[in-house]
Amino acid sequence: MQIFGDYHTHTTFSHGKGTVLENAHAAQEMGLKELGIADHGFGHILYGMDKRDLPKLRAEIENATAQTGVRVLLGVEANFISPNGDIDIAPADIEKFDFILVGQHRFVKARFADKFGFLLPNILGIKSKKMREKNTQAIIRAMEKYPIDAITHPKHGMAIDVLAVAKKAVETNTMIELNASKMLFSREEISQMINLGVMFLISSDAHHPEKIGCVENMLKVVKEYNIPESQVANLNKLPTFKRKKL
Ligand SMILES: [Zn+2]
Ligand SMILES: [Zn+2]
């Protein structure tokens, strides 16, 4: 049992420690067929990548593919920026990426009204019923609006209704990440998601080349929680992305 691709990895284009080529070499050593570079979206205040760097990033990705034989893809870990499902990648920019991951992060740029009603309560860690509803709506509406491939670390640091998100994920063909850096789900949540037909994506969320493909703990979760192999998109096979060029 192994993953064929690790699609949530960071580089020096945001706050990862390795270059694209270093990540690709690490992926090659781990025997991966594909590697996704998914640096933080443009709207992340601390670590967001610079939109102007995209052509350079694409060139480095092509070079890394040629040098290592690992197929490197250009993705992004975008941010939810409002309860209405807005993300920090404009529709016109979506086509620049091979795949889109979106996660909830605290320090992102947002419209004035959303700063106080949405971001600040999350920064402060408020897990009220109202914030739970807002966060859940943010994810659900984003899945309706954008061709999102996977939701990264749902539930991390913020309250959400896991089942409501999972239902919409199945409906919109969006994967739910099993993040090797953060185990977020209870056994019961995993089993409910299996029953709903959720497709999971295992990833390392590596911020250092050494961590690429290190997902042993999630392979253990798959085994212990009886997640069917067919419900893990990158287990013993390659996943299909909505925007992946064939
Ligand atoms: Zn993240
Ligand atoms: Zn990440």
Side-chain angles (χ1 to χ4, degrees):
M1 195 159 76
Q2 64 179 104
I3 58 165
F4 277 21
D6 186 357
Y7 302 93
H8 183 175
T9 78
H10 295 278
T11 71
T12 47
F13 280 92
S14 63
H15 69 145
K17 297 277 179 274
T19 63
V20 172
L21 188 58
E22 284 165 346
N23 278 17
H25 275 303
Q28 184 188 26
E29 272 168 39
M30 291 297 284
L32 300 180
K33 296 180 194 305
E34 289 189 340
L35 170 73
I37 304 296
D39 275 313
H40 289 284
F42 310 133
H44 198 294
I45 291 167
L46 307 173
Y47 314 119
M49 63 170 139
D50 190 331
K51 195 170 144 180
R52 290 167 299 186
D53 284 341
L54 275 183
K56 188 169 179 270
L57 177 54
R58 175 64 78 185
E60 287 191 23
I61 279 174
E62 281 171 11
N63 174 49
T65 297
Q67 287 208 35
T68 62
V70 174
R71 184 164 184 245
V72 188
L73 299 171
L74 201 175
V76 62
E77 185 182 16
N79 301 290
F80 298 105
I81 57 169
S82 88
N84 292 322
D86 300 302
I87 64 171
D88 62 341
I89 305 293
D93 289 328
I94 283 194
E95 64 189 35
K96 297 182 175 127
F97 297 95
D98 300 326
F99 65 93
I100 310 279
L101 313 179
V102 191
Q104 276 185 303
H105 300 96
R106 290 159 196 251
F107 297 99
V108 294
K109 293 173 203 156
R111 279 185 294 267
F112 187 76
D114 293 325
K115 273 184 191 159
F116 294 97
F118 181 62
L119 293 182
L120 193 60
N122 276 329
I123 289 172
L124 296 172
I126 294 170
K127 294 187 177 174
S128 62
K129 194 168 167 250
K130 202 171 157 197
M131 281 315 297
R132 189 171 183 260
E133 268 167 31
K134 280 191 186 185
N135 289 330
T136 304
Q137 279 312 307
I139 303 174
I140 286 177
R141 288 181 180 149
M143 286 192 275
E144 287 168 348
K145 280 188 186 178
Y146 296 96
I148 297 171
D149 291 292
I151 306 296
T152 61
H153 49 67
K155 219 182 147 186
H156 174 54
M158 295 177 206
I160 63 161
D161 179 338
V162 173
L163 278 195
V165 167
K167 273 181 199 159
K168 182 56 77 174
V170 172
E171 198 185 303
T172 56
N173 192 22
T174 310
M175 296 178 277
I176 298 284
E177 183 187 49
L178 293 175
N179 186 308
S181 307
K182 311 165 177 81
M183 181 51 195
L184 300 160
F185 302 118
S186 65
R187 180 181 283 266
E188 201 193 336
E189 284 169 336
I190 294 269
S191 113
Q192 285 169 326
M193 286 194 279
I194 294 169
N195 291 336
L196 282 172
V198 162
M199 184 63 84
F200 296 97
L201 181 73
I202 296 180
S203 52
S204 66
D205 199 357
H207 286 70
H208 193 285
E210 280 170 19
K211 298 279 184 193
I212 304 254
C214 296
V215 296
E216 278 306 314
N217 55 347
M218 287 303 121
L219 296 179
K220 231 169 146 183
V221 165
V222 167
K223 223 170 145 187
E224 281 173 15
Y225 293 9
N226 295 314
I227 304 179
E229 191 186 311
S230 59
Q231 278 180 252
V232 186
N234 57 340
L235 191 59
N236 301 330
K237 59 189 164 298
L238 292 172
T240 312
F241 292 115
K242 291 174 181 168
R243 300 200 37 77
K244 185 169 162 184
K245 294 170 195 89
L246 297 169

